[in-house]
């Protein structure tokens, strides 16, 4: 018996690199959070092609090296071999990413392409804008080292309210308008603190710090450089408009649903029904749910909502949502996470 096991082990050692297998198969995708090297083997640094991850790009997940292991096996298109190992800290495991329109970019929403939380709009149409709103305790389960997550405490606004991720002009690909190559490089590498500070009034800055906890990690600089520069206004108006939509959602039945279900599961159908209650029948069909796997749980991390029309202080947010094309619902549902790592 021992001899047979030894023989099998030897066979495993001489498998071609392209046939490397994960010990524990997994489904879903890994969204890269740093520019880690992706290597054919865990214990060897050889990296044919010098392959590294592209920050915020989604890679198909094949498996991990063992149950609750240290590394993910992913598929890297164009690499040879294409199956590569990365340390788990290099990215977040998500259950699904946006469907592709054939160009590698999602046609509705998502801050990366393809990404968790995007979606294919009906008939190939796209909204004028997509707003991405996060459930911050769930986000912090995936990124606990972020300053905004390390500092998150019971009773803080973002533990019971949605947080602003970003407001994204559509269609996908409308990004980095008149932005220098140096700033693009810093942004794509995640060096957000090296980007120029965003100039905002003290009132808007205070409101943004509450609604967007990620300002502690310079998220607002990233959002402005990548998306706000294509909004057609200055940063003050871009973020003020984002806050108008956030205020409407946080003052609605959608926020109440999540706050009342902390620690419990909520379904996609319930989320969409809450949007219908808050913004009119059909509003929920403009909403997509993004989830992540957290141990043995599936948690709701983010909602993306289509908008069509101009945002201003007098705008009817319900009309803007209902004017956008419909989208698929994404994740079927998950747990509304509570503050603190579970």
């Amino acid at each position: 018996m021992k001899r047979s096991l030894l023989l099998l082990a030897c066979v495993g050692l001489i498998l071609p690199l392209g046939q490397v297998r994960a010990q524990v198969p997994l489904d879903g995708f890994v969204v890269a959070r740093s520019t880690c090297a992706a290597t054919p083997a865990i214990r060897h640094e050889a990296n044919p092609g010098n392959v590294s991850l592209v920050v915020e790009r989604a890679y198909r997940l094949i498996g991990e090296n063992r149950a609750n292991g240290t590394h993910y096996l992913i598929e890297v298109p164009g690499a040879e071999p294409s199956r590569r190992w990365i340390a788990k800290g290099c990215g977040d495991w998500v259950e699904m990413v946006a469907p592709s329109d054939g160009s590698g970019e999602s046609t509705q929403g998502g801050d990366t392409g393809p990404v968790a939380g995007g979606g294919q709009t009906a008939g190939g149409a796209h909204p004028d804008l997509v707003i991405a709103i996060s459930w911050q305790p769930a986000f912090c389960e995936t990124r606990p080292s972020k300053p905004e997550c390390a500092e998150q405490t019971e009773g803080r606004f973002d533990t019971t309210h949605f947080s602003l991720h970003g407001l994204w002009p559509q269609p996908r690909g409308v990004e980095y308008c008149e932005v220098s190559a140096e700033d693009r490089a810093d942004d794509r590498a995640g060096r957000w603190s090296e980007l120029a500070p965003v100039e905002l009034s003290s009132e808007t800055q205070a409101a943004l710090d509450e609604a967007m906890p990620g300002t502690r990690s310079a998220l607002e600089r990233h959002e402005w450089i990548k998306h706000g520069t294509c909004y057609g206004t200055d940063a003050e108006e871009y973020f003020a408009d984002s806050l108008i939509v956030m205020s409407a959602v946080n003052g609605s039945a959608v926020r109440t649903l999540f706050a009342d279900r902390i620690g419990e599961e909520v379904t996609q159908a319930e989320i969409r029904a809450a949007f219908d209650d808050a913004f009119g029948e059909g509003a929920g069909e403009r909403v997509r749910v993004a989830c992540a796997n957290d141990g043995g749980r599936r948690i709701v991390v983010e909602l993306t909502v289509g908008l069509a029309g101009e945002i201003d202080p007098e705008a009817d947010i319900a009309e803007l949502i209902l004017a956008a094309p419909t989208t698929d619902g994404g994740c079927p549902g998950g747990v509304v996470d509570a503050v603190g790592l579970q």
Side-chain angles (χ1 to χ4, degrees):
M1 180 65 174
K2 290 181 180 178
R3 187 172 182 177
S4 297
L5 290 174
L6 179 61
L7 178 60
L8 287 173
C10 292
V11 171
L13 287 173
I14 62 173
L15 277 173
L17 289 177
Q19 295 180 18
V20 64
R21 295 172 184 259
Q23 299 300 308
V24 180
L26 296 173
D27 293 323
F29 298 81
V30 171
V31 179
R33 299 308 183 194
S34 59
T35 55
C36 294
T39 58
I42 294 175
R43 293 185 177 84
H44 302 285
E45 296 182 356
N47 184 1
N50 294 318
V51 177
S52 60
L53 302 183
V54 177
V55 173
E56 296 193 3
R57 178 171 294 175
Y59 297 85
R60 184 171 297 281
L61 178 61
I62 299 168
E64 59 183 330
N65 58 323
R66 61 177 181 271
N68 298 315
T70 58
H71 287 71
Y72 287 133
L73 181 63
I74 62 172
E75 187 80 22
V76 182
E80 182 56 45
S82 61
R83 291 190 171 194
R84 301 284 179 129
W85 290 101
I86 59 168
K88 281 191 172 181
C90 297
D92 298 332
W93 176 17
V94 299
E95 193 164 68
M96 61 185 67
V97 295
S100 172
D101 65 356
S103 64
E105 301 287 346
S106 60
T107 55
Q108 176 185 332
D111 203 13
T112 58
V115 299
Q120 183 78 33
T121 52
H126 60 80
D128 295 339
L129 300 162
V130 164
I131 190 162
I133 56 178
S134 300
W135 188 252
Q136 194 70 9
F139 167 77
C140 288
E141 293 285 3
T142 68
R143 301 290 283 164
S145 63
K146 286 278 191 181
E148 61 268 30
C149 295
E151 299 168 4
Q152 190 182 53
T153 56
E154 188 74 41
R156 203 170 77 176
F157 182 83
D158 58 279
T159 64
T160 56
H161 293 74
F162 290 107
S163 297
L164 173 64
H165 179 172
L167 182 66
W168 304 327
Q170 299 296 298
R172 285 290 302 168
V174 180
E175 300 170 345
Y176 298 113
C177 295
E178 299 183 11
V179 173
S180 70
E182 181 180 2
D183 282 347
R184 289 190 189 203
D186 283 341
D187 184 71
R188 287 171 171 160
R191 297 189 292 267
W192 299 345
S193 62
E194 296 185 20
L195 300 171
V198 175
E199 296 184 6
L200 301 174
S201 67
S202 58
E203 180 182 3
T204 300
Q205 185 67 63
L208 189 64
D209 287 341
E210 180 178 67
M212 179 187 269
T215 56
R216 295 160 178 80
S217 299
L219 175 62
E220 81 282 12
R221 301 187 191 189
H222 161 70
E223 291 298 322
W224 169 250
I225 284 290
K226 186 172 183 179
H227 301 288
T229 53
C230 301
Y231 191 62
T233 67
D234 60 14
E236 174 73 20
E237 186 171 341
Y238 171 69
F239 284 109
D241 288 353
S242 302
L243 291 168
I244 288 171
V245 182
M246 286 301 303
S247 179
V249 175
N250 273 325
S252 75
V254 183
R255 202 284 300 190
T256 302
L257 170 67
F258 272 66
D260 288 348
R261 301 285 278 277
I262 292 174
E264 302 174 9
E265 291 193 4
V266 64
T267 67
Q268 176 197 121
E270 290 173 320
I271 295 169
R272 288 184 143 195
F275 269 91
D276 286 350
D277 290 343
F279 301 105
E281 188 170 351
E285 295 180 358
R286 279 78 183 166
V287 178
R288 195 170 196 274
V289 183
C291 300
N293 289 311
D294 178 45
R297 307 181 305 156
R298 182 171 64 199
I299 54 178
V300 178
V301 177
E302 186 166 272
L303 309 178
T304 46
V305 186
L307 304 163
E310 186 172 348
I311 303 170
D312 61 52
E314 307 302 321
D316 185 332
I317 302 304
E319 289 185 1
L320 298 182
I321 295 174
L322 290 167
T326 59
T327 185
D328 71 276
C331 171
V335 173
V336 179
D337 197 40
V339 63
L341 300 181
Q342 307 301 305

